[in-house]
Structures are given as C-alpha cells and as structure tokens.
Amino acid sequence: EYQNSQLCLRDLGMWIREHLALSAKSRGCHLVTDEVLKSLTTKMKPIKVGLLHLLVQHTSCSLTLNENFDPDVRKDMETVLNRLVPEEQHYRHSAEGKDDMPAHVKASMMGAELTIPIENGELCLGTWQGIWLCEHRDRGSSRKLVATIQGET
C-alpha cells in the first residue's frame, strides 16, 4: 500500500469482461439500456465505485448517451444525421450499398464507445439519460458489444 497526501493505491480491484450481442435493429437510434443491463446487472452488483466501458465492434453503427424518455428525440436525431451525411453524395466506397459509406461517417461522428461510472452496483446515468445504439445501415444485423467492468468492491 502506497500513500501520499491524497492518493491511496491498494490493489487493482475487480475486472470483468463480457461479450454481448444486441438484437438486430432497423435503421435509426434505439434505446438499449435495458438490453445491456440485462446482461450486466448481476456482474455490476458488487462494485462500489467503478466504470463500465462499452465498445461496439462494428464500423456502421454507434453508441451514445441521450434522452431515454421521449422517442421523438431518437427520430429527430436520425433526421439530423441524414441531413448532415446524405446518401445522395458520390462516395468512392459504394460496393456494399448506398447506405454503407454514410454509415461509416455517422459512426465516426457519434463514436463506438462509452464509459459510464458505476456507484453501488448501478450506472450513474442522469435522470433522462439512456444508452443508444444508432444503427446507420438500412438493414442492421445483430451487433456485438464488449463490456468491461472495472471497480472496487
């Protein structure tokens, strides 16, 4: 154990790695908080202070935190993303369909990962925050997530 005025390092705590598969979604922004927590709640339970890191292992969808109550926010977000990155552009990368290259751009804009604090076994999300999977392809498939839980018990 090392101590100085404000730092106390004891051990590395607990580390857990889980691989999740989210069900296939249609194009758009989807609230997936419950789907993620269904797989992780038991594993997060002993964590007093920690972090949940989520990585989506795909290049044409994204993760973000946003509104968890009004579904119109998710519809509006899809509308805005489609205006910002239209399919009607000429893209060199088009072998996988006209929605593929715009999906890559949207995924880069939104991001592939989230880190959320854990306190007393629960995610520290704001009242109106939820985990979104944004599916940027017309026909998305099941999406793989890697969840890493780190913390002190």
Side-chain angles (χ1 to χ4, degrees):
E1 181 170 273
Y2 170 80
Q3 253 181 302
N4 69 19
S5 61
Q6 295 186 342
L7 176 67
C8 179
L9 300 175
R10 285 171 272 176
D11 58 45
L12 296 176
M14 176 192 258
W15 287 80
I16 300 169
R17 170 78 35 86
E18 284 290 317
H19 294 266
L20 314 176
L22 298 180
S23 61
K25 312 271 187 262
S26 59
R27 184 174 178 157
C29 299
H30 304 274
L31 186 62
V32 296
T33 310
D34 290 344
E35 196 172 352
V36 169
L37 287 178
K38 181 179 178 185
S39 300
L40 300 178
T41 299
T42 303
K43 292 167 180 71
M44 291 187 330
K45 199 83 170 149
I47 304 292
K48 300 278 187 240
V49 176
L51 297 170
L52 168 63
H53 180 265
L54 296 172
L55 171 73
V56 62
Q57 296 183 297
H58 301 274
T59 61
S60 57
C61 64
S62 57
L63 293 174
T64 192
L65 288 179
N66 216 307
E67 169 79 46
N68 70 2
F69 181 73
D70 185 353
D72 286 342
V73 176
R74 295 190 297 276
K75 293 173 188 163
D76 288 343
M77 182 67 77
E78 174 66 11
T79 299
V80 170
L81 289 171
N82 289 333
R83 284 186 191 145
L84 290 172
V85 187
E87 289 182 5
E88 293 75 33
Q89 297 282 11
H90 171 71
Y91 298 103
R92 288 181 190 90
H93 175 73
S94 60
E96 296 178 60
K98 69 176 189 161
D99 66 328
D100 190 48
M101 188 58 215
H104 293 309
V105 174
K106 293 171 189 175
S108 288
M109 288 171 53
M110 300 289 283
E113 58 188 319
L114 295 174
T115 302
I116 305 167
I118 300 169
E119 185 174 337
N120 296 321
E122 296 184 0
L123 294 181
C124 292
L125 293 172
T127 301
W128 305 110
Q129 286 182 316
I131 301 169
W132 288 11
L133 174 79
C134 298
E135 178 55 66
H136 305 302
R137 295 297 309 265
D138 288 335
R139 285 177 286 291
S141 59
S142 173
R143 297 303 193 168
K144 296 176 189 173
L145 294 182
V146 177
T148 305
I149 299 168
Q150 170 196 7
E152 294 183 14
T153 56

